[in-house]
């Protein structure tokens, strides 16, 4: 199938793109890497009248460290994240997650901003943003808004972006001393969207977790930051505690049933991931067995 007829404009600057979006409203769509937009158009799931191609706007590219903030331009491609020494050093969770996103051909064109704006609940990057406490920088004709990742994702393919705004950058706090991360997903084949996944970031003090952010994905209409993590903070983690927390996690999650997996199976996989995550972070393999 091919896309319905559409107009095309290559924006020359952020201001130019914003003027086009203001003029055409919900009849226009932004094009970054095209790896989600073009399939959706070819399948005629959407039929925008105008494509505003922002891929040539240099201002939206690049990765830089400014004090304790790692700033990533929205047009930074998946492959750029994978190759970046700054991302490897300051956001190793993100560096590890990239290898699970699609395949090399898609990672060569897909962008971080495009993935976040697309907001697929089974996607790896939105969950990483929650675990890392990211701020998403959004620009409209009236100026910039900074939105916490936890407020940005609002449902399946739904975000806090208005049709007249662009996501311009992502800001991450640089990884602290004693921080540790965990990333794992269950998928039918490597590179497929996850059936259930977990991106986690922690700070370890002594033998305990002093902070822990557990962001599950493919378990709801958006990535979920699990409140159950709080029970694991500043205490001696035992198999019995993991078992209790996995019960709490099971009650907290409400995963969907679909052709990939039942709700019960996703809930079970999330509990398995919880055990493996804490066991890995604390380097105590026996904790992976403490499931309810
Ligand atoms: P585009 O396709 O250009 O745009 C996506 C959406 O975001 C559009 O609605 C567009 O208007 C909007 N948009 C783009 N940029 C901006 C911006 N700066 N501001 C505001 N709105 C914007 N992704 C995963 O996470 N995990 C996977 O396992 C995975 N597997 C894939 C497998 C295949 C076969 C394919 C084709 C894609 C897969 N993807 C996967 C999606 C891929 O990661 C996409 O690249 C990504 O989701 C979208 O990035 P993009 O730059 O291509 O955005």
């Amino acid at each position: 199938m091919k896309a319905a007829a559409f107009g095309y404009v290559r924006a020359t600057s952020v201001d130019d793109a914003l003027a086009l979006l203001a003029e055409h409203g919900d009849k226009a769509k932004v094009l970054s890497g095209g790896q989600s937009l073009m399939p959706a158009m070819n399948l005629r799931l959407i039929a925008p009248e105008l494509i505003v191609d922002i891929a040539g706007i240099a201002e939206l590219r690049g990765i830089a460290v400014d004090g304790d903030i790692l700033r990533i331009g929205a047009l930074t491609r998946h492959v750029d994240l994978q190759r970046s020494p700054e991302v490897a050093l300051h956001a190793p969770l993100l560096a590890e997650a990239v290898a699970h996103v699609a395949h090399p051909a898609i990672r060569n064109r897909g962008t971080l901003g495009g993935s976040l704006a697309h907001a697929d609940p089974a996607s790896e990057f939105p969950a990483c943003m929650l675990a890392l406490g990211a701020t998403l920088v959004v620009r409209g004709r009236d100026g910039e808004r900074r939105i916490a990742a936890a407020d940005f994702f609002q449902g399946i393919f739904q975000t806090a972006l208005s049709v007249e705004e662009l996501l311009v950058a992502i800001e991450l706090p640089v990884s602290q001393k004693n921080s540790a991360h965990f990333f794992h997903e269950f998928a039918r084949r490597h590179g497929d969207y996850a059936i259930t996944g977990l991106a986690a970031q922690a700070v370890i003090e002594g033998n305990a977790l002093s902070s822990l952010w557990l962001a599950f994905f493919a378990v709801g209409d958006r990535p979920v930051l699990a409140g159950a993590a709080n029970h694991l903070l500043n205490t001696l983690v035992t198999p019995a505690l993991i078992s209790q927390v996995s019960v709490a996690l099971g009650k907290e999650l409400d995963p969907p049933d679909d052709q990939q997996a039942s709700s019960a199976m996703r809930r079970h996989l999330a509990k398995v991931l919880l055990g493996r995550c804490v066991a890995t972070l604390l380097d105590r393999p026996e904790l992976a067995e403490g499931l309810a």
Side-chain angles (χ1 to χ4, degrees), residues 71-198:
R71 186 177 164 103
I72 304 175
L75 281 180
T76 304
R77 297 172 307 157
H78 306 347
V79 68
D80 301 322
L81 297 172
Q82 212 165 7
R83 291 178 183 159
S84 161
E86 292 88 355
V87 173
L89 183 64
H90 298 298
L93 170 66
L94 191 54
E96 187 172 338
V98 186
H100 297 268
V101 178
H103 312 286
I106 291 150
R107 296 199 290 265
N108 284 340
R109 296 201 70 94
T111 66
L112 179 60
S115 174
L116 302 179
H118 187 56
D120 189 317
S123 179
E124 292 81 358
F125 290 143
C128 291
M129 296 300 116
L130 254 66
L132 291 168
T135 300
L136 283 78
V137 185
V138 167
R139 204 177 298 166
R141 294 236 283 180
D142 298 333
E144 251 175 33
R145 296 197 290 146
R146 309 170 86 74
I147 307 172
D151 299 325
F152 185 79
F153 303 104
Q154 299 191 342
I156 302 177
F157 307 132
Q158 299 287 324
T159 70
L161 278 169
S162 83
V163 293
E164 298 188 7
E165 289 177 315
L166 279 182
L167 175 58
V168 293
I170 295 90
E171 293 181 348
L172 302 172
V174 298
S175 198
Q176 292 179 41
K177 200 168 147 246
N178 298 337
S179 65
H181 71 277
F182 172 89
F183 183 92
H184 193 80
E185 68 180 37
F186 293 108
R188 295 214 178 269
R189 293 171 306 183
H190 183 85
D192 281 6
Y193 279 101
I195 295 173
T196 299
L198 172 59

